[in-house]
Each structure stands twice: as structure tokens, then as C-alpha cells.
Amino acid sequence: LTGCRIMNMFDKKDGWIEYYYVPEQVIDLGDGNVWAKVHGGTADFILSTDSLKTWSITTTNYSPENNNVLSKGMSQNIYYGNVETSGLYVKSEKECFVLGRQKGRLFHTKDGGRSWTYKDFNTKLYSMQFFPNDVIYMSSADSLFISQDGGDTWIGKYQYWSGAIGNKRMQFFTEKFGYIYDDYRLFQTQDGGDSWKEIYIDGDDFWDFGGTLNGCFANEHIGLFRSDNSKVIFAAELNQEKYTLNYSIVYEEILGNGHPQIYIDYINDKWILWDWWEGYIYTC
């Protein structure tokens, strides 16, 4: 399947992968026959006749209202809508969450993907972070959602994203202290999302170089971010008294063509920059 990427492998044969070209519609035709309309990829429609174990390309378009396959005329519309995801978030070998960006639908499996449940949040979902004792944080377009029971129930904390645009990145270091930011604005909370304070970029040169808040923090006060054209890497330090982010240029050279992402490897104490378009990985 073109458009796949490995998210987490637990041994040589078992793990989680994400498939970009997700179904827009899935219909259970009965007796192990399942039909799906595919968004993207090399096929418009695919069909399984063995309860999802294998798939083949088909040219037939079905609908629950006009099904000419089953003699009894019975079918079930399992899902309809664009499930474009913000990624997979793997909690264990058996448990995984899939965040639906456009429809705000959160998918959850506890048995390695054999069965799924879902909840609708009616807002774009962007990122998730796990804490001990089944505490989960999830960022959306307009709120921070918190679950205290492993994702069964959620409480939303709203009204901190006034005027913010783009993807909402989330990075918490404790259940109380964390950041949420888009390409241009940065917010900090020290009470678990009950209140937020905006942190401003100190100086206009950051934006003159095409700087964005696409990167991450290494700890509560120091981060690494890149420019839009991937030519400049900025180190940023938070001035806690003035609530400003002071920056300095630490690297000037083209790194990838696909607007590479920056992450921190806390285990090995390294910065990781990966270019998802060209397939390069850089470490520092």
C-alpha cells in the first residue's frame, strides 16, 4: 500500500502503521463481505470477501439505499465522512488512538485493532499525550480535552485559542505545566489548562527569517524551532519574568525540502529533525 508509515513496532511482525489514504465510506454487505470507498491511492473502491483479512480493487459502487448484491437487500453503513487523521497515538501493544482532524472523531481500540469504538468532538483534533494513571491530554482547534479514565470520558477546557491559526501542537512536561502553540502564537499553562498566558516572540528578526513555532521544547524553558524555508534553525529560551521567547540562530543551511519537523529524543538526549517529503533524518 502506498502512503503508509510505521508508527511503532513491537517485534519483527507486529506493530502499528498509519495509512494516509483512508476510507471515506465503509459498508458491511454481510457474510464477511465489506466494501469501502477509498480517498486517494490507486483505487476508488475496494472489496473484502473474507471479513477484512484481504482486499481487492473493484469497480462497483454500492450504497445502503441501492444495494444490488444482497438478495435480502440488507447492508449497514459503518462509516461515512473524511477521516483525515492527525496521527496514531500508541499507548501499548494492544491499545491505540486515532485522531480525526476534520470531523473531530476519536477512534479507540483496546484489542490491537480488531474492534474500535469512537467519540465525536465536533472540532479538529490535533495531538495527544499520555500520563500515568490513565490520564490523557488531547489538543483540538479550540480546547484542551482531559481524560482521567484512559479515554472513556473527556472534559474540555475552552477559550484559550482566541485568534490562533494552524495546527495546534501540545507539549506538557507535567500534568500542570505545558505549552500549546500554532505556527505563530504560543500559550503556556501552569495549572493544567485552567488558565493560559500568551508568550510573545522578542524581536521581529525571527519572522524576517521566516521563523515559525514549528519545533519543540527540550525542557520547560528551552526550545528549538525552524524557519519556513528550512534554512535557519533557532534556539529559543523563555524569559519567565517578561513572558517572551528570546531566540538565537544556531544553524543556517538547507535541511530538506518538505518543511521538516523537529522533535526531541529524551532517552538519548538528541534533537531529531526529519524531512517527511525527501526521507532524510538529521540528529544533533
Side-chain angles (χ1 to χ4, degrees):
L1 295 175
T2 59
C4 283
R5 67 179 177 186
I6 294 175
M7 303 300 293
N8 199 331
M9 298 299 293
F10 295 99
D11 55 37
K12 292 183 178 180
K13 63 179 181 178
D14 293 326
W16 295 91
I17 57 175
E18 181 181 21
Y19 185 43
Y20 290 132
Y21 303 125
V22 294
E24 290 182 341
Q25 186 177 12
V26 180
I27 298 177
D28 183 2
L29 302 175
D31 297 325
N33 299 311
V34 179
W35 171 93
K37 179 181 179 182
V38 181
H39 174 69
T42 57
D44 293 327
F45 311 113
I46 54 177
L47 180 68
S48 175
T49 58
D50 53 10
S51 300
L52 313 185
K53 296 183 177 65
T54 60
W55 292 88
S56 61
I57 297 174
T58 179
T59 58
T60 305
N61 186 2
Y62 302 126
S63 69
E65 296 78 15
N66 183 20
N67 188 337
N68 57 2
V69 174
L70 297 180
S71 58
K72 296 181 180 180
M74 298 177 59
S75 63
Q76 179 185 5
N77 196 342
I78 300 174
Y79 180 80
Y80 184 78
N82 194 331
V83 204
E84 179 184 345
T85 69
S86 299
L88 299 177
Y89 290 85
V90 178
K91 189 176 180 182
S92 68
E93 293 186 30
K94 297 294 184 180
E95 189 170 5
C96 174
F97 293 84
V98 179
L99 276 61
R101 177 176 300 181
Q102 291 174 314
K103 299 292 183 180
R105 179 164 286 186
L106 176 66
F107 295 88
H108 184 199
T109 180
K110 295 182 179 181
D111 56 9
R114 292 176 176 83
S115 62
W116 294 83
T117 59
Y118 66 83
K119 298 180 184 296
D120 287 326
F121 290 82
N122 298 315
T123 181
K124 293 182 179 181
L125 305 179
Y126 284 102
S127 60
M128 179 176 285
Q129 190 169 341
F130 301 109
F131 295 94
N133 301 318
D134 281 336
V135 176
I136 306 174
Y137 284 16
M138 180 172 63
S139 68
S140 74
D142 55 12
S143 62
L144 172 70
F145 290 98
I146 297 178
S147 174
Q148 302 285 346
D149 53 13
D152 292 333
T153 60
W154 296 85
I155 297 176
K157 299 186 177 182
Y158 300 91
Q159 299 179 350
Y160 62 84
W161 272 120
S162 175
I165 60 175
N167 294 343
K168 309 304 182 292
R169 305 171 186 90
M170 175 178 61
Q171 193 173 3
F172 275 78
F173 294 93
T174 68
E175 292 185 31
K176 297 294 185 180
F177 189 100
Y179 296 97
I180 291 184
Y181 48 100
D182 62 5
D183 292 342
Y184 303 100
R185 301 182 69 186
L186 171 66
F187 298 84
Q188 183 197 89
T189 180
Q190 298 186 34
D191 53 16
D194 291 332
S195 63
W196 296 85
K197 190 165 184 177
E198 184 170 1
I199 297 172
Y200 296 92
I201 304 296
D202 187 16
D204 296 329
D205 291 342
F206 184 85
W207 307 119
D208 291 341
F209 281 101
T212 66
L213 291 174
N214 195 322
C216 68
F217 287 87
N219 53 47
E220 294 182 356
H221 306 296
I222 297 176
L224 198 68
F225 303 92
R226 65 160 179 81
S227 64
D228 274 343
N229 57 17
S230 306
K231 292 182 179 180
V232 181
I233 305 296
F234 302 92
E237 184 173 2
L238 177 66
N239 185 325
Q240 190 68 37
E241 295 180 358
K242 298 182 179 180
Y243 267 80
T244 57
L245 204 63
N246 303 316
Y247 66 91
S248 60
I249 299 175
V250 295
Y251 194 82
E252 291 188 74
E253 185 176 325
I254 296 178
L255 290 176
N257 298 316
H259 299 295
Q261 311 296 308
I262 297 177
Y263 299 95
I264 184 72
D265 178 2
Y266 294 103
I267 297 177
N268 299 305
D269 195 25
K270 288 183 178 181
W271 292 102
I272 296 176
L273 183 148
W274 67 279
D275 177 5
W276 57 270
W277 188 265
E278 297 290 344
Y280 292 104
I281 296 179
Y282 304 86
T283 60
C284 176

